[in-house]
Amino acid sequence: MKTIATTLFFAVPLALAPFASAQHQIFTVNPDSSKVAFSLGGNTHHVDGTFHVQSGTVDFDRSKQNFSGSVVVAAGSGNSGDQGRDKKMNIDVLDVAHFAEVTFTPSSYQGTIAVSGDSTVQVTGVFTLHGTPHDMTVPMQIHIDGASLTAKTHFTVPYVKWGLKDPSIFILKVAKEVDIDLTLAGSVSSQK
């Protein structure tokens, strides 16, 4: 009986070791499989477009509900299908010559990230636009399938309130907020 107890004493921590290491993981974003879509309303037209995700690595720990790392978007990669409009956006609104990147640095989350399948969590972090950091909490849908992870969120950026130039001119008025749909896809691995 003592031998069985001793065996269990040593076997249980070994059996739980893979579970413990799976709590701490790294999500590496694949820029080619990820996308930022934006939508901007106006009084005479509606503009839809995309930005390019440049890079991203997010370290997360299920046992502590925290994140570290960041997602970086190339500010000058905006594509609305109109080169003149995109040039104006890059120069007059985003000032990409001085602020080449837009970043989101997550710090924590509320909810539970499942080891596999679908999860919905609230992610809190800092969204840096035009060189200015803004605290933000966004809903995020996460899907994990083996070593693949996809994260999706929708949020609104009040860019004029945050100090960026309003591109409205004369009778052509555009919304003071832009809707963002972010899709991040990549691989997830356990941190040793």
Side-chain angles (χ1 to χ4, degrees):
M1 194 62 133
K2 190 173 181 181
T3 305
I4 294 173
T6 303
T7 303
L8 286 175
F9 178 78
F10 289 109
V12 170
L14 290 173
L16 293 176
F19 177 75
S21 67
Q23 297 293 306
H24 190 187
Q25 295 184 299
I26 296 177
F27 171 45
T28 304
V29 175
N30 178 346
D32 294 333
S33 301
S34 302
K35 181 173 78 168
V36 179
F38 71 88
S39 181
L40 181 65
N43 64 342
T44 59
H45 68 295
H46 190 91
V47 177
D48 292 309
T50 61
F51 283 92
H52 177 68
V53 176
Q54 188 171 300
S55 63
T57 303
V58 178
D59 189 330
F60 64 97
D61 190 332
R62 285 189 184 85
S63 65
K64 298 177 184 175
Q65 293 188 314
N66 62 15
F67 284 122
S68 63
S70 66
V71 176
V72 181
V73 173
S77 66
N79 182 356
S80 68
D82 181 316
Q83 289 183 349
R85 178 171 52 214
D86 294 341
K87 183 177 179 182
K88 182 174 176 58
M89 173 176 62
N90 287 339
I91 295 171
D92 296 342
V93 180
L94 295 174
D95 188 12
V96 299
H98 296 102
F99 307 103
E101 296 177 343
V102 177
T103 62
F104 182 68
T105 305
S107 58
S108 64
Y109 66 92
Q110 294 295 318
T112 302
I113 299 176
V115 175
S116 164
D118 297 318
S119 307
T120 300
V121 295
Q122 294 289 321
V123 178
T124 298
V126 176
F127 184 83
T128 302
L129 176 65
H130 212 247
T132 305
H134 304 275
D135 292 332
M136 180 178 276
T137 299
V138 297
M140 188 163 288
Q141 293 76 44
I142 297 173
H143 179 78
I144 299 176
D145 183 6
S148 297
L149 188 151
T150 303
K152 296 181 179 182
T153 186
H154 172 86
F155 57 95
T156 301
V157 173
Y159 69 97
V160 173
K161 182 180 177 182
W162 284 359
L164 277 71
K165 183 178 177 181
D166 183 349
S168 298
I169 53 171
F170 191 48
I171 60 169
L172 177 61
K173 302 294 183 186
V174 298
K176 309 296 187 268
E177 300 179 339
V178 60
D179 289 320
I180 304 292
D181 285 291
L182 173 65
T183 301
L184 300 173
S187 60
V188 64
S189 59
S190 293
Q191 175 69 28
K192 300 296 183 190

